[in-house]
Amino acid sequence: MSEIIKEYIKKISPICKMLEEKEISFMEVCGTHTMAISKSGIRDILPEKIRLISGPGCPVCVTSPGDIDGMIKLSDLPDVIITTFGDMIRVPGSNRNSLEIKKADGADIRIIYNPVEAVDMAEKNSDKKVIFLAVGFETTVPGIASAIIEAEKRKTENFFIYPANKVIPPAMRALVMDKQIGIKGFICPGHVSVITGANPYRFLAEDYGIPCVIAGFEPLDIIISIYKLLLQLHEKRASVEIEYSPWVRPEGNIKARDIIYKIFKECDAVWRGLGVIPGSGLSLKEEYSYRDGRKLLKEEIPSVPETAGCRCGEVLKGLIRPPECELFGHVCTPVNPVGPCMVSSEGSCSVYYKYSDG
Amino acid sequence: MCLAIPGKVLEINGDKGLIDISGMKVETFLNLLEDVKIGDYILIHAGFAIERLPEEEAMERFKLFKEMEILG
């Protein structure tokens, strides 16, 4: 442990003692933070009173089972190429089906890194419909919106997306309103905030009195952010502070947001474990809605219940730690995952399993 | 999924740039940023630069950040 981290721990302890609460729960809502916290062993060096809980910060994990089924159904269509970020491919839908199983059965499913690659692929395969599975938070959406702008520019009419992108702040509101969770502060996502800036979190501080700190990804960043959250609690104030100051500007990236909202509009969205959250999804604006890949299915995509026994929903709300799920570690493992939190490398269950952070 | 990594702009060709990421050269879209210049530091996510810092500002900010770490 570095000297500077030890110094911060020394400052954290007395503040912690002065606070009346028996337990102080801070939630991170970014999968990269979930990984950084578990990997670094930060939980072990903090005072016992501080409980770091992982929220719905992994976009793959919060994609509803209904959407996963819809994506899998699309891969059954003739003359279709499904393109996706790698994390999505192993997520089980209902009936334990997955894109990986479909791929093994011969469906044309390709992993890409940059959404524009899917537009290039559509140009080269004009006899096919190329569908990109649009999953991800504010950090990822500008690139997806850019791919649509690129397809419009090139008149690539056989490029579609499955719109399942989500925005984080409305989910944070839903989490704060759930008194069972009892969040005392948010470690806000660093790279989402590069795009959004600090403003979208202000309602949490101003309307709900919840301190927020936008954090970087090194162990020291996280320790400093926890210190700043504790100071706010101790001084009985709530505001949004930026710890990840080398990269996050208070106003965020305005151009990137303009590009998002040129293509998308807000809509209600279903989150796994959290249900419908108003204004938390992004759907294509009317003029681009012909690129909605879901329309290629002749049937409605039904909403499907969560997998029996899988407690990903409670894990995503921070209500239980992954090892508290009966399936964790024996029925559900990274090699044979039952729920999405075990599939994605940044899912809470997978992170706990990997770093034995029980 | 929101992982992003910093790099330095080596060349600019229209909406794209050639970026040095720890010695590796990678092509990245620059369309989400205004006024990118050669030498700027940028933050890259899924093939797109999502933020930029001019070289001097980057040096200054990272220096300040380091000092803050040292001073605690």
Side-chain angles (χ1 to χ4, degrees):
Chain A
M1 200 195 334
S2 77
E3 284 306 311
I4 184 77
I5 288 185
K6 281 184 194 162
E7 285 301 312
Y8 269 99
I9 294 292
K10 270 189 213 160
K11 289 186 193 181
I12 283 174
S13 295
I15 303 174
C16 223
K17 275 187 194 138
M18 280 189 277
L19 291 167
E20 292 162 2
E21 291 90 341
K22 278 195 189 126
E23 188 175 79
I24 302 159
S25 296
F26 294 143
M27 178 179 269
E28 95 273 351
V29 284
C30 165
T32 317
H33 278 149
T34 304
M35 283 176 84
I37 288 169
S38 281
K39 204 173 164 182
S40 61
I42 285 174
R43 283 192 183 88
D44 299 335
I45 58 169
L46 288 172
E48 238 172 69
K49 229 183 191 184
I50 301 176
R51 191 166 154 256
L52 296 184
I53 50 178
S54 304
C58 156
V60 169
C61 307
V62 298
T63 303
S64 74
D67 278 332
I68 303 285
D69 279 2
M71 292 168 186
I72 293 170
K73 270 191 189 141
L74 276 178
S75 74
D76 280 334
L77 295 178
D79 302 321
V80 150
I81 301 174
I82 302 287
T83 55
T84 176
F85 292 132
D87 266 11
M88 281 304 289
I89 194 149
R90 296 184 59 222
V91 180
S94 56
N95 306 323
R96 304 293 302 267
N97 221 337
S98 72
L99 291 166
E100 188 177 46
I101 293 169
K102 288 285 174 188
K103 189 174 162 67
D105 286 345
D108 195 346
I109 299 169
R110 306 183 195 183
I111 293 172
I112 59 172
Y113 165 67
N114 175 338
V116 178
E117 289 170 41
V119 182
D120 297 338
M121 215 177 277
E123 269 197 321
K124 283 187 199 128
N125 297 275
S126 53
D127 55 332
K128 305 264 188 186
K129 296 180 181 78
V130 175
I131 308 162
F132 176 68
L133 308 180
V135 169
F137 297 137
E138 290 91 329
T139 326
T140 314
V141 185
I144 297 170
S146 299
I148 291 169
I149 292 170
E150 196 62 28
E152 288 286 309
K153 218 190 289 175
R154 298 191 210 166
K155 300 193 180 354
T156 314
E157 290 188 356
N158 57 330
F159 171 72
F160 302 85
I161 67 163
Y162 187 112
N165 289 114
K166 293 180 172 59
V167 292
I168 285 272
M172 294 165 91
R173 183 195 300 272
L175 290 161
V176 165
M177 288 172 73
D178 189 333
K179 295 290 173 231
Q180 219 187 334
I181 309 172
I183 297 165
K184 295 283 182 223
F186 275 114
I187 298 171
C188 296
H191 292 140
V192 161
S193 307
V194 166
I195 304 296
T196 64
N199 281 337
Y201 309 113
R202 294 210 193 280
F203 75 93
L204 292 162
E206 288 161 13
D207 301 347
Y208 298 95
I210 307 284
C212 294
V213 177
I214 297 169
F217 298 94
E218 296 299 325
L220 181 60
D221 289 315
I222 293 162
I223 293 283
I224 293 174
S225 302
I226 291 167
Y227 170 66
K228 284 174 182 281
L229 287 172
L230 286 167
L231 268 190
Q232 287 195 37
L233 285 178
H234 176 55
E235 290 164 9
K236 300 202 185 313
R237 62 185 170 88
S239 64
V240 182
E241 293 182 65
I242 301 174
E243 186 279 334
Y244 197 33
S245 56
W247 289 110
V248 175
R249 299 173 199 273
E251 72 280 15
N253 182 338
I254 296 166
K255 190 174 179 194
R257 288 206 302 279
D258 287 347
I259 288 174
I260 294 176
Y261 291 105
K262 178 180 159 60
I263 301 297
F264 292 103
K265 60 180 183 198
E266 281 176 4
C267 64
D268 299 348
V270 183
W271 293 54
R272 192 185 290 250
L274 301 173
V276 177
I277 302 178
S280 68
L282 293 169
S283 63
L284 288 162
K285 280 187 170 171
E286 195 51 44
E287 57 266 47
Y288 307 108
S289 62
Y290 71 100
R291 294 193 186 274
D292 187 335
R294 292 175 301 185
K295 291 184 177 171
L296 301 173
L297 291 169
K298 297 287 173 260
E299 53 192 306
E300 278 281 300
I301 297 164
S303 63
V304 291
E306 310 275 339
T307 313
C310 170
R311 298 178 73 185
C312 274
E314 289 161 272
V315 169
L316 287 166
K317 288 207 273 190
L319 285 172
I320 62 163
R321 291 177 313 118
E324 291 172 55
C325 173
E326 292 73 16
L327 306 184
F328 179 86
H330 43 103
V331 177
C332 181
T333 63
V335 177
N336 189 21
V338 176
C341 299
M342 189 60 96
V343 177
S344 169
S345 58
E346 59 182 35
S348 295
C349 298
S350 157
V351 170
Y352 264 75
Y353 189 91
K354 188 169 176 191
Y355 299 106
S356 304
D357 197 353
Chain B
M1 192 184 252
C2 292
L3 199 65
I5 43 172
K8 189 175 180 179
V9 180
L10 300 175
E11 285 175 28
I12 298 171
N13 305 302
D15 257 358
K16 289 182 184 172
L18 190 68
I19 314 302
D20 177 356
I21 304 173
S22 307
M24 203 169 63
K25 287 179 185 168
V26 177
E27 197 175 60
T28 296
F29 280 90
L30 302 174
N31 65 308
L32 305 177
L33 304 174
E34 306 273 11
D35 306 324
V36 182
K37 293 183 178 60
I38 289 170
D40 283 355
Y41 282 82
I42 57 168
L43 195 59
I44 304 157
H45 168 75
F48 285 82
I50 57 169
E51 190 49 279
R52 69 176 269 269
L53 283 176
E55 194 165 8
E56 319 82 69
E57 202 180 333
M59 290 301 138
E60 193 54 33
R61 286 207 202 189
F62 288 124
K63 196 173 130 229
L64 274 177
F65 197 60
K66 280 282 161 215
E67 278 170 7
M68 188 184 78
E69 285 181 14
I70 291 159
L71 294 171

Coordinates of all heavy atoms in Angstrom, one line a residue, chain B residues 2 8 10 13 15 20 24 33 42-43 45-47 49 57 62:
Chain B
C2 N -17.2 0.9 -19.8 CA -16.9 2.3 -20.0 C -15.4 2.5 -19.8 O -15.0 3.6 -19.4 CB -17.7 3.2 -19.0 SG -19.4 3.2 -19.4
K8 N -1.8 10.0 -27.2 CA -1.3 11.3 -27.7 C -1.5 11.4 -29.2 O -1.2 10.4 -29.9 CB 0.2 11.5 -27.3 CG 0.7 12.9 -27.6 CD 2.1 13.0 -27.1 CE 2.6 14.4 -27.4 NZ 4.0 14.6 -27.0
L10 N -0.8 11.9 -32.9 CA 0.4 12.0 -33.7 C 0.1 12.7 -35.1 O 0.8 13.5 -35.6 CB 1.0 10.6 -34.0 CG 1.4 9.8 -32.8 CD1 1.9 8.4 -33.2 CD2 2.6 10.5 -32.1
N13 N -6.2 13.2 -39.8 CA -6.6 13.1 -41.2 C -8.2 13.2 -41.2 O -8.9 12.2 -40.9 CB -6.2 11.7 -41.8 CG -4.7 11.5 -41.6 OD1 -3.9 12.3 -42.1 ND2 -4.3 10.4 -40.9
D15 N -11.7 13.4 -40.0 CA -12.3 13.1 -38.7 C -11.6 12.0 -37.9 O -12.0 11.6 -36.8 CB -13.7 12.5 -39.0 CG -14.8 13.5 -38.8 OD1 -14.4 14.6 -38.3 OD2 -16.0 13.2 -39.0
D20 N -0.9 7.7 -30.4 CA 0.1 6.9 -29.7 C -0.4 6.5 -28.3 O -0.6 7.4 -27.5 CB 1.4 7.8 -29.6 CG 2.5 7.0 -28.8 OD1 2.2 5.9 -28.3 OD2 3.6 7.6 -28.7
M24 N 2.0 2.2 -28.9 CA 1.2 1.5 -30.0 C 0.5 2.6 -30.8 O -0.1 3.5 -30.2 CB 0.2 0.6 -29.3 CG -0.3 -0.6 -30.1 SD -1.2 -1.7 -29.1 CE -2.5 -0.7 -28.5
L33 N -14.9 15.8 -30.7 CA -14.1 16.8 -30.1 C -14.0 18.0 -31.0 O -14.1 17.9 -32.2 CB -12.8 16.3 -29.7 CG -12.7 15.1 -28.8 CD1 -11.3 14.6 -28.6 CD2 -13.3 15.4 -27.4
I42 N -5.6 12.7 -25.6 CA -7.0 12.4 -25.7 C -7.4 11.2 -24.9 O -6.5 10.4 -24.6 CB -7.5 12.3 -27.2 CG1 -6.7 11.2 -27.9 CG2 -7.4 13.6 -27.9 CD1 -7.3 10.8 -29.2
L43 N -8.6 11.0 -24.6 CA -9.1 9.9 -23.8 C -10.0 9.1 -24.8 O -10.9 9.6 -25.5 CB -10.0 10.3 -22.7 CG -10.3 9.4 -21.6 CD1 -9.0 8.8 -20.9 CD2 -11.2 10.1 -20.5
H45 N -12.4 5.8 -26.1 CA -13.3 4.7 -25.7 C -13.9 4.1 -26.9 O -14.5 4.9 -27.7 CB -14.4 5.3 -24.8 CG -15.5 4.4 -24.5 ND1 -15.4 3.3 -23.7 CD2 -16.8 4.3 -25.1 CE1 -16.6 2.6 -23.7 NE2 -17.4 3.2 -24.5
A46 N -13.8 2.8 -27.1 CA -14.4 2.1 -28.2 C -14.2 2.8 -29.6 O -15.1 2.9 -30.4 CB -15.9 1.9 -28.0
G47 N -12.9 3.2 -29.8 CA -12.6 3.8 -31.1 C -12.9 5.2 -31.3 O -12.6 5.8 -32.4
A49 N -12.4 9.2 -29.6 CA -11.8 10.1 -28.6 C -13.0 10.9 -27.9 O -13.8 11.5 -28.6 CB -10.9 11.1 -29.2
E57 N -1.8 22.0 -21.1 CA -2.8 21.8 -20.0 C -2.7 20.4 -19.4 O -2.8 20.3 -18.2 CB -4.1 22.1 -20.6 CG -5.2 22.5 -19.6 CD -6.6 22.7 -20.2 OE1 -6.6 23.0 -21.4 OE2 -7.6 22.5 -19.5
F62 N -1.8 17.2 -14.9 CA -1.3 15.9 -14.3 C -0.3 16.3 -13.2 O -0.2 15.6 -12.2 CB -0.7 15.0 -15.4 CG -1.7 14.4 -16.3 CD1 -1.7 14.6 -17.7 CD2 -2.7 13.7 -15.7 CE1 -2.7 14.0 -18.5 CE2 -3.7 13.1 -16.5 CZ -3.7 13.2 -17.9

